[in-house]
Structure formats: C-alpha cells, structure tokens
Amino acid sequence: MIALNIAISLFVIVLLQFAGMYIFSLMTPYRDMEEVNKGNVAVGITMGGKFVATAIILAIAAYSNSSIWHMSLWFAVGYVCLLAAYWAFDWLTPGVKLSDQLKDGNVAVGTVLASVYIGIALAVSSLII
C-alpha cells in the first residue's frame, strides 16, 4: 500500500510540474521550446527559472501536506501567486516589454526574470508551510 501511495504521489507531482510549465508557456506570445531549440539563451534561462520556481512551490506543498488534494490545492495557490508575480513585474517595468526582450535574446532580462521567479517561489513557499 505504501508503494502505491508513493507511486500515485510521484505521478501527481510530475503531472503538476508539467502542467505548471505548460501554463507558463501559454503566457508568452512565442513558443518556449521553439526558442530554446533556436539557441535563445534568454528564453532558456527564463524557462529554467520557471521550472525551478514551480518545483520549489510544489516541493513545499508536497512536504507540508499529507493529502494529495491538499498538496494540489496549496500548489495551485502558490502557483497563482507565481503567475501574478510575472504580471506584476511586467507591469512595474513599463519601459521593458518582457516577452519582446526575451524573444530578442536579451540574456540580462532572462536572468533577472528567472531570479524573480525563484525569489517569489521561495517567499510564497514560506506562506504555504
């Protein structure tokens, strides 16, 4: 029974991680993997930041909840906060259109945005515990 619970939990965690990455990819007017395949380092860095940030929130949600449903709920709450951080950062930098800068390969913007994702994920995760 324990092995089954672990297998189900692992399946749900992987599903939520990839669902989170898919939702993030819908937020950009370009295709993330297409840009990465073209060698766009800025998009690659940002995508890595999205993945790490999503994993941080998911890890804390999984660690602090014994129920898959509660874990999923707290992941959703944390993930909405992460998405809101992107929109807030975009709004607070009116002179810089983030998606255009990333598509153009601006590594500085990609690095800052990845750091914002990871920082927000750490801060939001402290609220989930």
Side-chain angles (χ1 to χ4, degrees):
M1 191 62 163
I2 292 174
L4 179 62
N5 285 341
I6 291 172
I8 291 170
S9 296
L10 182 60
F11 175 76
V12 170
I13 286 170
V14 170
L15 183 70
L16 289 172
Q17 177 71 37
F18 284 103
M21 291 303 295
Y22 177 74
I23 291 167
F24 254 131
S25 74
L26 295 176
M27 291 174 38
T28 56
Y30 52 83
R31 298 195 180 267
D32 290 340
M33 286 309 297
E34 202 173 278
E35 289 297 315
V36 170
N37 286 334
K38 287 195 267 183
N40 188 329
V41 176
V43 172
I45 291 169
T46 304
M47 196 170 168
K50 292 175 188 177
F51 193 87
V52 171
T54 303
I56 289 169
I57 291 174
L58 186 54
I60 296 300
Y63 178 75
S64 60
N65 292 284
S66 58
S67 159
I68 290 176
W69 297 112
H70 286 137
M71 175 194 71
S72 299
L73 174 69
W74 282 109
F75 171 72
V77 169
Y79 194 74
V80 167
C81 292
L82 193 58
L83 294 175
Y86 171 81
W87 295 113
F89 188 73
D90 197 31
W91 181 70
L92 291 170
T93 56
V96 179
K97 179 76 172 142
L98 296 177
S99 58
D100 291 346
Q101 292 294 317
L102 292 171
K103 182 139 172 70
D104 291 342
N106 188 331
V107 174
V109 170
T111 303
V112 168
L113 194 53
S115 300
V116 167
Y117 289 141
I118 293 167
I120 292 296
L122 290 170
V124 167
S125 291
S126 70
L127 299 173
I128 293 173
I129 293 179

